Amino acid sequence: MPFVAGSSSSAALTERGLKWFFRIAPHDGMETVFFFEYLRYLNQKYNANIKKVAVVYIDNEYGVHAARMVKQKVKDFPEFSLVADVKYPVNATNVDIEVQRIKSARPDAIFHASYIGDMTMFVKKYKEFNVVPKVVLSYCGGYQDPQFVVNLGKDADYFSGTNATTSALFAKMPILFKINDMYKAKSGVDIDGPTLEDFASALVIAEAINIAGTTAPEKVLEVLKNHIFDAPYFVSEKIKFGPDGQNVYSASVMTQIFNGIYEAVWPEQYQTHEPVPQFPDWNKR
């Protein structure tokens, strides 16, 4: 039976030779490359002088795999060095020690693989210990959850991460705008990236069945393997699964929060706000 996953991000899911599994969201390896390319862009365009990177991650499959991707992909970007590898337990209720380790390493950029409760806790401790990096980039998880801004208010500003969508893009993408109108009428909130990716998985399955003209699994599988699906609600505008079942087109843009809004900051053609490549002092927010 074909399985089209929307928002799961572990690269391991498409590295196991599964015949029936397909994924729409970019995996951790793709996002890690996206992170380093974004840092390179900030250095080239804004003279950000970002060199030192720390990775902070929860001790489960999601976090450990994301950290593994950082350690692997940093080798392809020799201008950056990994200066801190900070793992914290799943049931953490205090991250003082972890934040002190991060502060002592003095990274220019922090990569986070954390859920909403953990991410909220870290931001509060960054403020308490006056950790002021140039950039904090987050994988799917806590940062993408709209509750991040609700929990932290102005303290959420300047944090960054990938997103499949943001309300700032609605004005530029009329089909996405219409989808959001339908979603918001039922949910009361704007659609977020993971929800849009899961929405896309349902559309892809439906279209594959329509093209196959049957729900026979082998016929649907053949369509999923070979068809290019239109996706005008993503910045990539299309979905195509590679031999491993991974969507080869990343749906993500880099976003950064300003005044509680997830603005698109890179690539430039989708930019709704210029990035700020330096955290201001916590007392000046």
Side-chain angles (χ1 to χ4, degrees):
M1 189 67 66
F3 183 164
V4 180
S7 57
S8 57
S9 64
S10 173
L13 288 168
T14 45
E15 293 173 344
R16 296 164 56 194
L18 300 176
K19 175 182 176 183
W20 298 89
F21 182 82
F22 300 86
R23 187 213 345 247
I24 288 171
H27 58 62
D28 298 331
M30 296 168 70
E31 291 210 309
T32 301
V33 171
F34 196 72
F35 284 4
F36 281 120
E37 289 177 341
Y38 176 62
L39 296 184
R40 181 176 281 174
Y41 163 75
L42 293 179
N43 284 343
Q44 292 174 348
K45 179 72 180 283
Y46 295 94
N47 196 28
N49 197 31
I50 296 168
K51 297 178 180 178
K52 299 184 293 182
V53 176
V55 59
V56 183
Y57 57 101
I58 190 168
D59 187 11
N60 64 9
E61 199 279 337
Y62 155 58
V64 170
H65 195 277
R68 189 181 306 141
M69 291 295 99
V70 176
K71 296 168 195 174
Q72 177 182 319
K73 301 298 183 182
V74 71
K75 298 172 185 176
D76 298 328
F77 295 86
E79 66 266 45
F80 303 111
S81 61
L82 186 62
V83 296
D85 175 344
V86 180
K87 180 169 62 177
Y88 64 92
V90 172
N91 59 352
T93 57
N94 184 292
V95 292
D96 284 14
I97 293 174
E98 288 82 359
V99 172
Q100 287 171 342
R101 284 182 57 200
I102 295 163
K103 183 171 183 176
S104 66
R106 302 181 66 183
D108 301 311
I110 303 172
F111 293 1
H112 254 281
S114 304
Y115 298 124
I116 181 62
D118 314 325
M119 196 67 197
T120 301
M121 186 163 47
F122 268 98
V123 175
K124 289 179 178 179
K125 288 298 179 180
Y126 288 153
K127 181 177 182 178
E128 180 181 335
F129 287 96
N130 197 33
V131 176
V132 187
K134 295 183 177 180
V135 181
V136 177
L137 304 177
S138 291
Y139 294 90
C140 67
Y143 167 84
Q144 291 184 349
D145 190 325
Q147 192 66 31
F148 183 66
V149 172
V150 176
N151 289 352
L152 293 161
K154 285 293 291 180
D155 288 344
D157 278 2
Y158 304 103
F159 284 82
S160 303
T162 52
N163 257 309
T165 192
T166 166
S167 59
L169 285 172
F170 295 161
K172 292 189 171 189
M173 303 174 68
I175 292 178
L176 176 60
F177 182 84
K178 179 63 176 175
I179 291 169
N180 186 65
D181 271 356
M182 294 187 289
Y183 179 80
K184 194 168 186 177
K186 290 182 176 291
S187 68
V189 296
D190 289 324
I191 198 166
D192 60 15
T195 306
L196 185 65
E197 289 163 341
D198 289 329
F199 168 84
S201 70
L203 288 191
V204 164
I205 292 168
E207 187 174 352
I209 291 171
N210 284 344
I211 293 169
T214 176
T215 56
E218 291 282 357
K219 297 290 186 182
V220 176
L221 178 69
E222 198 62 26
V223 175
L224 289 170
K225 288 169 63 177
N226 296 296
H227 188 67
I228 299 177
F229 298 88
D230 288 333
Y233 42 83
F234 283 152
V235 294
S236 61
E237 299 186 349
K238 52 192 173 182
I239 295 167
K240 173 72 173 74
F241 299 111
D244 57 357
Q246 173 64 44
N247 177 17
V248 300
Y249 299 111
S250 174
S252 293
V253 292
M254 185 61 72
T255 60
Q256 188 171 13
I257 300 172
F258 297 100
N259 297 316
I261 302 296
Y262 290 77
E263 299 280 3
V265 294
W266 186 75
E268 285 186 349
Q269 61 264 43
Y270 306 116
Q271 198 172 81
T272 61
H273 193 294
E274 281 201 77
V276 173
Q278 174 63 62
F279 267 47
D281 186 273
W282 285 100
N283 295 319
K284 296 179 181 178
R285 293 185 174 221

